[in-house]
Amino acid sequence: AGTWQGTLSTPTNKLRVVFKITAADGKLTGQAFSIDQGAQPIPMNSISLDGRAVRWKLDAPGASYEGSFTADANTINGTLTQGPGPLPLNLSRATAETAWAIPEPPPAPKPMDSAADPGIEVSTVKPSPPDTRGRGLGVQGGQLRAINYSVLDAITFSYNLHALQVSGGPAWLSTDRFEIVIKPDIAGQPNPQQVRRLIQKVLTDRFQLKFHSEKRELSVYAITLPANTKHKLTQSASDQNLPDLRFPRQGLLPARNATLAGLAQALQGSVLDRPVINQTKIEGRYDFTLDWMPDPFQFGGRGAAQPLPDNGKPNIYQAFQEQLGLKLEATKALADVFVIDKVERPSEN
């Protein structure tokens, strides 16, 4: 237990890192801080001590640390692994005089009323420059900004759909890309559902989108609970926090306060090549970690050009069974299909 600090040398810069570890009831817990990257607290997971050997994980950024104490127990010599290979990171026990100051994080923006259905005060839509790379969506300074988004991107995100669940529409639906800026008519930081509603309203107002829904049999992945088995999910302590379903790296999902429907949406949105349907009938919110070796066709095929090294993890189907007590299988099932009746390129701003 105590405060440990050291400098991590990456190929591009040097980062000061602090680990604060506490012991209570025979259990070690802690938080990590990267002082030069905003100093937001990062939970430490699976802290273990075996003789002089110490290990812990940082599930959120997909990192792990292994080291060993020196004889005086005031230094840990070790390595931090995040990505392709380990980097040296030696830690010293900090005292009140030597401890690095951890800057206060900026105040969190005031949230928008969760019951509000925000409208649009003003919106701008313009073609993305031809050399724009990547795609992004974020809220800053009271404005929602989508970068390099196609109309198909906006539909699948805002309506929680896989691209295979969208039918009809012109060819430019997926090829033309836009920069969309929205100023809501209500102050505050919108939650994820409110962000989706704002994108839906821009699609209606600026792209004249009209559609209807149908049920069609599609090739899907189904999440099921095998008969006479109990799942391995941990009930979340509170349902007041927003769900966290982010991938710190390919093949790792440390989910917090998540529903099984949210898990299905995360997998079909980022990982798998077809819609994912939750057929478990499991209600509630859970904490769990899904850790697997992705194949080259997952994550949009991004692994095909640069295959990931074998990390000894199970494939996603085995991980579902071993880590969640659930089953993921390819099958055919009725799924909602978003049928486009009308869509137009936006008028000039």
Side-chain angles (χ1 to χ4, degrees):
T3 299
W4 299 85
Q5 59 192 30
T7 300
L8 180 70
S9 296
T10 74
T12 56
N13 52 20
K14 295 181 182 294
L15 302 173
R16 292 172 296 163
V17 183
V18 175
F19 299 96
K20 289 181 174 288
I21 301 174
T22 57
D25 300 324
K27 183 180 180 181
L28 294 168
T29 59
Q31 291 182 317
F33 303 84
S34 181
I35 291 179
D36 303 302
Q37 294 179 305
Q40 295 289 340
I42 303 169
M44 297 170 64
N45 314 100
S46 308
I47 305 173
S48 66
L49 182 64
D50 183 6
R52 290 187 180 181
V54 62
R55 296 178 178 84
W56 60 71
K57 294 181 179 180
L58 303 170
D59 283 350
S64 62
Y65 183 81
E66 294 190 14
S68 61
F69 283 102
T70 55
D72 63 5
N74 287 320
T75 302
I76 304 174
N77 295 322
T79 58
L80 181 79
T81 302
Q82 183 182 18
L87 293 173
L89 177 58
N90 298 330
L91 304 172
S92 299
R93 187 190 295 274
T95 65
E97 292 75 24
T98 63
W100 294 332
I102 298 176
E104 289 291 327
K110 183 179 178 181
M112 187 180 288
D113 179 0
S114 61
D117 181 14
I120 297 174
E121 181 176 317
V122 63
S123 67
T124 61
V125 180
K126 59 183 181 181
S128 293
D131 58 350
T132 303
R133 295 187 178 185
R135 184 183 62 175
L137 179 71
V139 180
Q140 188 174 16
Q143 291 187 332
L144 169 64
R145 184 182 297 269
I147 304 296
N148 213 29
Y149 253 52
S150 69
V151 174
L152 182 61
D153 292 332
I155 290 172
T156 55
F157 168 77
S158 63
Y159 289 97
N160 287 320
L161 299 169
H162 191 278
L164 295 177
Q165 291 174 270
V166 180
S167 176
W172 62 263
L173 200 75
S174 60
T175 58
D176 288 17
R177 297 190 173 273
F178 301 90
E179 180 178 311
I180 304 169
V181 180
I182 304 169
K183 183 179 181 182
D185 61 2
I186 300 175
Q189 181 95 353
N191 64 33
Q193 189 54 42
Q194 289 167 329
V195 168
R196 288 182 167 86
R197 286 287 294 139
L198 289 166
I199 298 291
Q200 291 173 10
K201 290 178 179 181
V202 159
L203 287 170
T204 300
D205 295 345
R206 301 301 305 274
F207 292 88
Q208 304 300 306
L209 177 66
K210 294 182 180 180
F211 67 93
H212 68 276
S213 295
E214 298 178 2
K215 288 282 189 182
R216 296 181 186 176
E217 187 176 68
L218 298 178
S219 294
V220 302
Y221 290 101
I223 303 174
T224 61
L225 177 64
N228 303 317
T229 62
K230 181 175 175 56
H231 65 72
K232 300 179 182 179
L233 309 171
T234 301
Q235 190 87 33
S236 293
S238 170
D239 61 1
Q240 300 303 311
N241 298 322
L242 291 175
D244 189 349
L245 282 154
R246 292 173 292 179
F247 295 88
R249 63 165 170 80
Q250 292 186 17
L252 178 64
L253 178 59
R256 300 293 177 265
N257 205 40
T259 64
L260 269 294
L263 171 61
Q265 291 167 5
L267 292 175
Q268 76 172 19
S270 300
V271 181
L272 298 172
D273 61 350
R274 65 186 74 172
V276 181
I277 297 177
N278 171 34
Q279 296 182 339
T280 64
K281 298 183 180 178
I282 297 173
E283 302 293 334
R285 296 184 176 274
Y286 298 89
D287 299 337
F288 55 87
T289 297
L290 190 63
D291 192 1
W292 79 97
M293 177 66 203
D295 69 39
F297 302 101
Q298 294 171 5
F299 292 93
R302 292 190 291 275
Q306 295 181 328
L308 295 172
D310 189 347
N311 58 12
K313 304 289 185 181
N315 64 38
I316 193 169
Y317 309 103
Q318 295 167 326
F320 254 80
Q321 293 179 321
E322 297 168 7
Q323 299 166 14
L324 309 185
L326 303 174
K327 186 176 181 181
L328 180 71
E329 60 180 339
T331 184
K332 285 186 177 291
L334 286 177
D336 291 321
V337 173
F338 184 106
V339 183
I340 295 174
D341 299 315
K342 177 186 176 183
V343 66
E344 298 179 358
R345 285 188 172 94
S347 58
E348 301 233 352
N349 296 300

